[in-house]
Amino acid sequence: GENVEQHPSTLSVQEGDSAVIKCTYSDSASNYFPWYKQELGKGPQLIIDIRSNVGEKKDQRIAVTLNKTAKHFSLHITETQPEDSAVYFCAAVDSGYSTLTFGKGTMLLVSP
Amino acid sequence: DAMVIQNPRYQVTQFGKPVTLSCSQTLNHNVMYWYQQKSSQAPKLLFHYYDKDFNNEADTPDNFQSRRPNTSFCFLDIRSPGLGDAAMYLCATSIDRNQPQHFGDGTRLSIL
């Protein structure tokens, strides 16, 4: 089955800085890679996703890049704000079962 | 407006006493998922329904069962909860497999 590694486990930045979270996956046939933001006491919220036929996708301050050859994808947040503080999960679709496998999460702390 | 609604938000039960968690959706999505999320961990898929077709993960304990009486509702039954079953239980939906999943805010289950 799919295996997703996520780094770093914690990330502290100053407000206005950029933040980058990286993930690698094992199943070369995986073709869908979402990113979720989870705030305390809430369910994961989809913030951006990318499919394997695209190398990069942007949505305002958030971007995701995908390198299929290296089997890794990254989340980039620019001009971070305190409200960006949360746990972020990457995920990949298991080509065999079409279900999501999550990374272990990154706790992002943005200090004012 | 909430599109995936989980009730109750907090549930306390006794060791060994059956408990049922519920999930409803207003999205008319074909697929409904149940995840277990323990503290500081990623969501772990328990099972999912593709329409009426039930799909159990290989490592989901027999203690966990699910029902989907119609498109809108899905239930998670824990027949004899143990202390290790204390967790957040998340419901998610997607219009089809390999499509974005939308999560509810979860039910936090405590076992006394």
Side-chain angles (χ1 to χ4, degrees):
Chain A
E2 176 72 273
N3 183 47
V4 178
E5 300 282 341
Q6 182 172 346
H7 299 279
S9 56
T10 58
L11 180 58
S12 294
V13 300
Q14 292 292 120
E15 183 177 1
D17 288 349
S18 295
V20 180
I21 303 171
K22 299 182 178 181
C23 290
T24 61
Y25 61 98
S26 61
D27 184 354
S28 57
S30 290
N31 58 11
Y32 175 61
F33 307 92
W35 285 88
Y36 286 88
K37 174 184 180 183
Q38 187 172 26
E39 297 175 334
L40 196 63
K42 294 191 174 183
Q45 177 190 5
L46 179 69
I47 55 172
I48 197 167
D49 56 8
I50 192 167
R51 295 198 179 269
S52 57
N53 58 346
V54 176
E56 183 176 6
K57 184 177 179 181
K58 289 183 180 180
D59 183 3
Q60 298 182 353
R61 296 186 297 109
I62 294 173
V64 57
T65 58
L66 172 65
N67 183 326
K68 286 178 59 180
T69 303
K71 290 190 284 187
H72 68 71
F73 56 114
S74 300
L75 177 71
H76 304 254
I77 306 174
T78 59
E79 301 174 23
T80 55
Q81 302 166 2
E83 50 266 39
D84 294 330
S85 297
V87 178
Y88 291 80
F89 291 99
C90 63
V93 169
D94 185 314
S95 62
Y97 301 96
S98 296
T99 55
L100 285 177
T101 299
F102 285 87
K104 291 188 175 181
T106 296
M107 180 175 290
L108 174 64
L109 177 62
V110 181
S111 303
Chain B
D1 291 337
M3 296 175 287
V4 181
I5 303 162
Q6 292 190 242
N7 285 306
R9 291 296 315 277
Y10 301 91
Q11 176 75 56
V12 181
T13 191
Q14 293 178 334
F15 182 94
K17 185 174 181 180
V19 65
T20 294
L21 310 181
S22 72
C23 176
S24 64
Q25 55 134 340
T26 59
L27 298 165
N28 203 34
H29 283 175
N30 288 319
V31 194
M32 294 187 77
Y33 308 81
W34 278 106
Y35 290 85
Q36 179 191 64
Q37 186 177 28
K38 295 190 174 180
S39 183
S40 301
Q41 295 185 19
K44 179 180 180 298
L45 182 65
L46 296 172
F47 24 60
H48 73 280
Y49 276 93
Y50 185 87
D51 195 12
K52 296 180 181 180
D53 182 28
F54 178 71
N55 299 270
N56 198 31
E57 293 301 295
D59 56 355
T60 298
D62 292 340
N63 201 26
F64 290 83
Q65 296 180 335
S66 185
R67 297 170 282 135
R68 188 179 185 185
N70 54 54
T71 300
S72 300
F73 286 87
C74 196
F75 300 97
L76 170 61
D77 301 308
I78 309 176
R79 289 191 297 183
S80 182
L83 297 178
D85 296 329
M88 174 79 86
Y89 289 88
L90 295 163
C91 175
T93 72
S94 63
I95 194 163
D96 204 340
R97 288 187 175 122
N98 213 11
Q99 294 297 320
Q101 292 187 22
H102 302 269
F103 284 80
D105 281 335
T107 293
R108 181 163 295 282
L109 178 67
S110 299
I111 313 294
L112 299 180

